């Protein structure tokens, strides 16, 4: 839709220009794919700072793992080629497909926009927390800090971003990419938004990571030195959610239903990865 309150769109080409254009002032926001920004009224905004002219390489691989630029289109994440040893590779496509949007939207929606929008059903957030993703954040004062994505998304449409801070990239460590993963997504109907998304990851050293998104306002991640039993895992997830953020409630699913499907998915994920019975 047309945003008729916007007076300027500033395309920035380097970090200094980004910091100058986006110092954290009210009325200014960064623009990435624009699939959410242009989907609803933004009466509080006057200026958009366009990140897409920064020319960041969409993704790169190093011995440390996979770096996804904030401006990397979500569709590209799902199409990334497999590499030897990356047992977790199918999870890239599974999570991208969890963004229930037409290919046209997935082709322009970005990694950074998805994480920073911080919807509970953020598909890239699900991927990043499943694989111990770390966010590189650029401050308007020239500082850089790193935060687990699981700590960056703090609630429904809420992040730990400071005023003027921009997500530069999400780093997925090689160790996690080598883990075996399992994935369960539930929605109220076949083409519905994710109401519950559960991932499990079994690493080479036997450690086990469970992550729940979509059913909760912010990611819930539980780490175990060895795989728990399905019943243990389900009980621990229930305790962590009910002693923490609670079950999410919106048109995509009632909390008691989200609880039921999530705990069933947790048990299935643990079973699939060979958790002790
Ligand atoms: C049909 C349809 C279906 C959708 N389904 C889903 C879904 O299932 N799950 C879901 O999560 N979303 C969904 N969305 C919402 C949205 O399209 C996605 O979340 C998308 O990934 C947002 O990315 P974007 O690049 O378009 O963000 P934009 O619209 O450009 O920006 C979104 C927000 O993030 C901020 N932002 C963007 N990049 C950065 C950055 N690098 N640093 C700091 N802040 C930044 C912007 O200022 C803005 O507040 C859907 C949208 C449509 C139209």
């Amino acid at each position: 839709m047309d945003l008729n309150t916007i007076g300027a769109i500033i395309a920035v080409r380097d970090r200094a220009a980004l910091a100058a254009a986006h110092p954290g002032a009210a009325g200014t926001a960064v623009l990435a794919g624009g699939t959410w920004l242009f989907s609803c009224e933004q009466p509080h905004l006057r200026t958009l700072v366009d990140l897409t002219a920064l020319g960041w390489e969409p993704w790169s691989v190093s011995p440390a793992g996979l770096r996804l630029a904030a401006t990397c289109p979500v569709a590209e994440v799902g199409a990334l080629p497999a590499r030897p040893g990356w047992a977790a590779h199918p999870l890239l496509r599974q999570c991208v497909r969890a963004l229930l949007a037409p290919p046209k939207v997935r082709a322009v929606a970005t990694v950074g926009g998805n994480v920073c929008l911080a919807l509970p059903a953020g598909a890239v957030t699900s991927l990043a927390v499943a694989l111990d993703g770390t966010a590189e954040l650029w401050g308007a004062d020239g500082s850089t800090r790193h935060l687990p994505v699981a700590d960056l998304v703090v609630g429904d449409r809420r992040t730990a971003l400071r005023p003027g801070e921009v997500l530069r990239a999400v780093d997925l460590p090689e160790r996690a990419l080598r883990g075996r993963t399992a994935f369960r997504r539930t929605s109220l109907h076949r083409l519905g938004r994710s109401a519950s998304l559960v991932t499990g990851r079994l690493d080479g050293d036997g450690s086990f990571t469970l992550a729940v998104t979509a059913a909760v306002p912010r990611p819930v991640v539980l780490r175990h030195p060895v795989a728990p039993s399905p019943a243990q895992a389900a009980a621990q997830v229930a305790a962590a959610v009910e002693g923490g953020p609670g079950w999410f409630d919106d048109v995509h699913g009632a909390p008691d239903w989200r609880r039921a499907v999530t705990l069933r998915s947790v048990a299935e994920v643990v079973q699939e990865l060979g958790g002790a019975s």
Side-chain angles (χ1 to χ4, degrees), residues 117-120 152-159 217-219:
L117 184 56
L119 294 178
L152 176 61
V153 175
V154 296
D156 177 24
R157 301 276 330 277
R158 291 195 302 118
T159 68
R218 62 166 166 79

Side-chain angles (χ1 to χ4, degrees), residues 59-68 76-94 127 131 170-181 201-203:
W59 56 269
S60 56
V61 177
S62 74
L66 171 63
R67 162 162 277 220
L68 299 172
E76 264 194 63
V77 177
L80 253 140
R83 293 179 74 88
W86 279 11
H89 180 263
L91 198 64
L92 302 181
R93 190 156 175 269
Q94 288 167 327
L127 173 68
L131 297 179
V170 171
D171 290 301
L172 304 177
E174 178 72 16
R175 170 189 47 77
L177 286 160
R178 289 180 168 272
R180 275 177 53 221
T181 56
R201 195 186 82 236
L202 185 63
D203 285 346

Side-chain angles (χ1 to χ4, degrees), residues 65-130:
L66 171 63
R67 162 162 277 220
L68 299 172
T71 47
C72 177
V74 172
E76 264 194 63
V77 177
L80 253 140
R83 293 179 74 88
W86 279 11
H89 180 263
L91 198 64
L92 302 181
R93 190 156 175 269
Q94 288 167 327
C95 285
V96 166
R97 288 174 66 90
L99 183 88
L100 251 288
K104 214 166 121 183
V105 171
R106 282 196 205 136
V108 287
T110 64
V111 163
N114 191 259
V115 171
C116 296
L117 184 56
L119 294 178
V124 181
T125 303
S126 305
L127 173 68
V129 299

Side-chain angles (χ1 to χ4, degrees), residues 22 28-39 42 44-45 48-49 51-52 56 69-74 96-102 105-106 108-125 136-138 157 159 161 164-169 185 192-194:
H22 186 49
T28 300
V30 293
L31 165 66
T35 60
W36 177 79
L37 270 171
F38 289 109
S39 73
Q42 309 287 350
H44 60 295
L45 291 181
L48 294 176
V49 178
L51 301 181
T52 57
W56 292 336
T71 47
C72 177
V74 172
V96 166
R97 288 174 66 90
L99 183 88
L100 251 288
V105 171
R106 282 196 205 136
V108 287
T110 64
V111 163
N114 191 259
V115 171
C116 296
L117 184 56
L119 294 178
V124 181
T125 303
E136 180 174 312
L137 303 172
W138 281 7
R157 301 276 330 277
T159 68
L161 283 173
E165 209 166 37
V166 169
L167 174 62
R168 166 63 183 88
R185 189 187 87 89
R193 181 166 288 189
S194 304

